[in-house]
Amino acid sequence: MTGISRVTYTSLAASSLRGIQGNLERYSQSQARLSSGTTISKPSDNPTGTVNSMTFRADIAKNKQYSANGDDGGAWLARTDSALQDVDDQLNTVKNLALQGRSTGNSDATARNALAAQVDQLRNGLIDSANATYLGRPVFGGTTTGTIAFDPTTGAYVGDTGSVNRTVGKGDSVRVDTPGETTFGSGPDQLFKVIDDISTHLKSDPTSLDADLARLDKVINGVRQAQSDVGARTNRVEALQTTAKARIDASSKAQGEIEGVDIPAETINLSMQQVSYQAALSTASKVLQLSLNNFLR
């Protein structure tokens, strides 16, 4: 014989309210996922996904920093390349003037003085280029705290031998400054020493210009070698930046797959939860009216 379990009005009401509350909670969760665009609002929603997401977030932040470092390093190198191009152009002009002075020889002091005056003007331009700065720091001055790499009056190097580096990838540090003494020479073959001698010899001793031209060629070769080196470092920075950006894209995609909401599917789910909630409300409103008190009225 099958017994009939006793169902009280109180238990019926409690069951209805639990159902309503459950539907409301699921409806609210679906609404929260759609409004926030993420499936994880707290770690308990998806513990494993939360850990993976945090790993991807850290990877994205790290590679964004590499990319930003690359932007800064690339700007350093671009400024240096521009300055070196200016120096190269001006040195070629100085060389042409020296060649003209040697051809003019001893017979035309006035012409040679005019050439020397042009060399002196170019020296001023060379000082400006050799003291080129990026964000207030001389690109040929190493890690000097000063604002210039070469003394404008004497042409002496006043920077230091320190290096400025930027980390553009994991374990990849690229030097972004260019050593002034290596680039522009030192001792008797230093750029401004050679320029000053050319100016002096144009005025008073044109027979020494051959030796000056040989020294000037050394300076020009040093500048061009520096240009080549800057170009190589620029390519390396760009390649590492490309790698960093690719990793950002990959990690962002993976993070999106973990956290992202499938909008069409979630929209359908929201509609279903809404219908379920409304059905629970409707059902409860009918069931909870069936009390003895209501019947006796």
Side-chain angles (χ1 to χ4, degrees), residues 90-171:
Q90 292 175 89
L91 288 180
N92 281 321
T93 304
V94 171
K95 184 176 182 178
N96 288 333
L97 294 172
L99 287 170
Q100 290 179 43
R102 187 183 62 178
S103 298
T104 302
N106 298 320
S107 60
D108 194 343
T110 301
R112 285 187 278 106
N113 285 335
L115 294 173
Q118 293 184 61
V119 170
D120 291 340
Q121 289 301 312
L122 287 167
R123 182 188 185 280
N124 294 332
L126 287 166
I127 281 287
D128 291 341
S129 297
N131 282 328
T133 60
Y134 173 70
L135 296 178
R137 300 180 63 181
V139 295
F140 299 108
T143 56
T144 179
T145 56
T147 58
I148 59 173
F150 291 88
D151 185 281
T153 303
T154 65
Y157 184 65
V158 294
D160 60 30
T161 57
S163 64
V164 180
N165 301 286
R166 293 291 179 269
T167 302
V168 195
K170 186 178 181 180

Side-chain angles (χ1 to χ4, degrees), residues 20-124:
I20 291 172
Q21 188 60 37
N23 280 315
L24 182 60
E25 184 176 353
R26 288 188 288 275
Y27 181 51
S28 175
Q29 289 172 346
S30 180
Q31 187 180 39
R33 285 194 289 271
L34 276 174
S35 59
S36 66
T38 177
T39 59
I40 302 176
S41 58
K42 55 184 181 299
S44 59
D45 290 340
N46 184 349
T48 302
T50 299
V51 172
N52 291 337
S53 180
M54 290 175 66
T55 301
F56 286 127
R57 283 178 187 274
D59 191 58
I60 291 168
K62 181 174 61 182
N63 281 288
K64 281 185 175 178
Q65 187 59 57
Y66 289 153
S67 182
N69 291 347
D71 287 340
D72 183 68
W76 264 87
L77 292 168
R79 182 71 186 94
T80 304
D81 184 59
S82 174
L84 287 172
Q85 187 58 55
D86 289 342
V87 170
D88 187 55
D89 292 342
Q90 292 175 89
L91 288 180
N92 281 321
T93 304
V94 171
K95 184 176 182 178
N96 288 333
L97 294 172
L99 287 170
Q100 290 179 43
R102 187 183 62 178
S103 298
T104 302
N106 298 320
S107 60
D108 194 343
T110 301
R112 285 187 278 106
N113 285 335
L115 294 173
Q118 293 184 61
V119 170
D120 291 340
Q121 289 301 312
L122 287 167
R123 182 188 185 280
N124 294 332

Side-chain angles (χ1 to χ4, degrees), residues 103 128 178 196 253 259 272:
S103 298
D128 291 341
T178 300
D196 290 342
K253 182 179 179 182
E259 296 185 3
M272 292 174 62

Side-chain angles (χ1 to χ4, degrees), residues 163-235:
S163 64
V164 180
N165 301 286
R166 293 291 179 269
T167 302
V168 195
K170 186 178 181 180
D172 288 306
S173 179
V174 178
R175 183 171 187 173
V176 297
D177 74 303
T178 300
E181 285 190 307
T182 303
T183 303
F184 300 120
S186 59
D189 293 332
Q190 200 256 12
L191 165 63
F192 297 105
K193 171 63 176 168
V194 174
I195 297 296
D196 290 342
D197 287 348
I198 289 175
S199 175
T200 300
H201 293 151
L202 278 170
K203 299 171 188 171
S204 60
D205 186 13
T207 59
S208 297
L209 288 173
D210 281 337
D212 294 339
L213 283 166
R215 293 159 60 206
L216 183 62
D217 283 338
K218 289 183 181 178
V219 175
I220 292 174
N221 288 337
V223 170
R224 291 178 178 171
Q225 186 173 350
Q227 282 182 293
S228 176
D229 181 59
V230 167
R233 283 183 282 157
T234 300
N235 289 340

